[in-house]
Amino acid sequence: MKLSGITPSGHVQLGNYLGAIRTWAAEGGSGDMYFISDLHAMTTTHNPAKLRSLATEQLAILIAAGIPEETVCVQSDLAKELGALTWILECTCSYGEAARMIQFKEKADGQTGVRLSLLTYPVLMVADILLQGAAEVPVGEDQRQHVELARTLARRFNSTYGDVFTVPKAVTPVTGARVRDLSDPTRKMSKSTRDAAGVVFLLDEPDLVRRKIRRAVTDGDSVIAYEPETRPGLANLLDILAACTDSDPRDLVDAHATYGALKEAVADAVVETLRPLREKTTALLEDPAELTRVRKAGAARATERGEHRLQSALRLIGGC
Ligand code: AMP
């Protein structure tokens, strides 16, 4: 079983959809799990009401995208189980192991009032993985170290107290397109970028999507070519068009005479790709009773799957 996560640290953007969510929906592995990691979004300054609404929006988007509802779960719905397991795992982890995490060092660097949770959140992530008994965790390079920590802690717990946890492994995610920021194509499109001009959000109005794409940074050349290294802005537009039309970016080079024509084609393709998703998401967001039902069912399934591991671990480590 595979566990994938998305953190509600901002509105879901086109890169999330083309790079991850669409693939998750296509995989649809019945035993897999897709986790909305809202607890992880509390490790730095956050707005509680905004976080709650972003988590709800993500849930609606994942369901609207066609991910089977029985595989989706919001992390804070398991707060009791995860809180307890995190404690057990913190008693299995050394301070040095937590402080060594690159993500912690990078995010804490130069900051004052760093939340203790920024140091301990990798252990919460380990709890997410181990509670569900996930064997595989698809992660990018930045999260590999945390999955290594999950392996270390699972092995250590199993050999010290008794065999409870599946030892997970990090796997390379099956990714769709990699989408770059439209205003600054040297960086990837991200839901937490401050300047939203280069980020297409899934729930943006079509007119706004078109405006953002028309303003995308390209280059001074006038010949269309696919050269990601030297002409990233143009390559990004071709990549997005290819992802939306299920084609190869190299085959699209000759189809458009000017940058303007290419941008119009990209805008049309993105608007049409997002239209059904936006409509379904909006309908779900207008039906809070349905979202609550989905959410509760997901939480019940995840609790049922993990409860026995938590109880065994608590008992073996000396509790209950
Ligand atoms: P994050 O937004 O970092 O929580 O990522 C959630 C998922 O979306 C992960 O699987 C990322 O790899 C994927 N993702 C995020 N941004 C992009 C992007 N610009 N292009 C492709 N995939 C992305």
Side-chain angles (χ1 to χ4, degrees):
M1 143 2 182
K2 258 191 326 217
L3 178 78
S4 303
I6 180 161
T7 307
S9 50
H11 294 288
V12 180
Q13 43 82 16
L14 186 64
N16 293 130
Y17 181 62
L18 296 178
I21 297 173
R22 199 167 66 162
T23 322
W24 296 348
E27 279 177 348
S30 54
D32 294 346
M33 241 185 108
Y34 302 97
F35 221 54
I36 297 169
S37 331
D38 54 349
L39 298 178
H40 289 301
M42 299 173 188
T43 54
T44 49
T45 311
H46 75 287
N47 173 323
K50 174 107 197 209
L51 174 57
R52 192 171 301 117
S53 96
L54 287 173
T56 306
E57 180 191 297
Q58 283 196 350
L59 176 67
I61 288 176
L62 296 190
I63 301 300
I67 297 179
E69 63 174 62
E70 61 275 14
T71 65
V72 180
C73 176
V74 181
Q75 189 186 25
S76 62
D77 290 342
L78 303 182
K80 284 189 199 156
E81 292 78 7
L82 290 172
L85 186 55
T86 299
W87 180 254
I88 293 169
L89 293 167
E90 281 177 9
C91 297
T92 314
C93 181
S94 73
Y95 169 76
E97 280 170 321
R100 196 178 304 143
M101 293 293 120
I102 295 162
Q103 286 266 303
F104 170 69
K105 287 193 200 159
E106 282 179 0
K107 290 189 181 169
D109 187 34
Q111 304 291 319
T112 51
V114 171
R115 295 182 181 177
L116 181 57
S117 56
L118 193 61
L119 175 69
T120 58
Y121 102 87
V123 186
L124 172 61
M125 181 169 160
V126 175
D128 298 336
I129 299 166
L130 299 190
L131 184 71
Q132 298 304 320
E136 295 186 344
V137 189
V139 280
E141 276 313 309
D142 57 337
Q143 295 291 326
R144 276 196 175 250
Q145 200 186 18
H146 297 164
V147 181
E148 274 310 310
L149 183 68
R151 291 171 67 76
T152 304
L153 299 189
R155 285 209 189 97
R156 187 176 299 152
F157 188 98
N158 288 348
S159 62
T160 312
Y161 302 110
D163 210 6
V164 176
F165 298 118
T166 303
V167 179
K169 69 168 191 250
V171 295
T172 307
V174 184
T175 44
R178 286 190 192 287
V179 181
R180 294 166 177 278
D181 189 289
L182 297 172
S183 308
D184 177 2
T186 58
R187 62 173 190 225
K188 76 173 198 177
M189 192 178 279
S190 163
K191 56 180 148 56
S192 32
T193 303
R194 274 175 201 278
D195 178 11
V199 182
V200 172
F201 297 107
L202 291 206
L203 301 186
D204 277 348
E205 296 281 343
D207 276 355
L208 181 56
V209 173
R210 288 181 185 281
R211 275 207 302 282
K212 287 179 176 174
I213 293 174
R214 281 188 197 122
R215 285 194 200 128
V217 166
T218 46
D219 51 52
D221 210 323
S222 58
V223 180
I224 296 182
Y226 185 68
E227 290 164 8
E229 291 302 321
T230 49
R231 301 171 71 189
L234 181 58
N236 191 33
L237 290 173
L238 291 164
D239 279 332
I240 294 172
L241 184 57
C244 291
T245 55
D246 207 10
S247 42
D248 189 302
R250 288 166 199 84
D251 297 340
L252 299 171
V253 166
D254 297 328
H256 309 280
T258 62
Y259 284 8
L262 173 64
K263 284 181 175 178
E264 283 313 305
V266 175
D268 286 344
V270 172
V271 166
E272 286 318 310
T273 301
L274 297 187
R275 188 187 303 283
L277 190 66
R278 199 167 149 263
E279 285 172 0
K280 279 189 209 151
T281 305
T282 310
L284 272 169
L285 288 171
E286 284 166 1
D287 189 354
E290 171 63 0
L291 277 179
T292 304
R293 182 194 65 73
V294 170
R295 211 174 144 150
K296 280 193 174 153
R301 248 182 309 267
T303 308
E304 195 183 303
R305 173 145 60 183
E307 187 63 27
H308 67 100
R309 291 188 194 91
L310 171 61
Q311 291 312 328
S312 303
L314 195 53
R315 183 141 198 85
L316 285 165
I317 203 170
C320 296

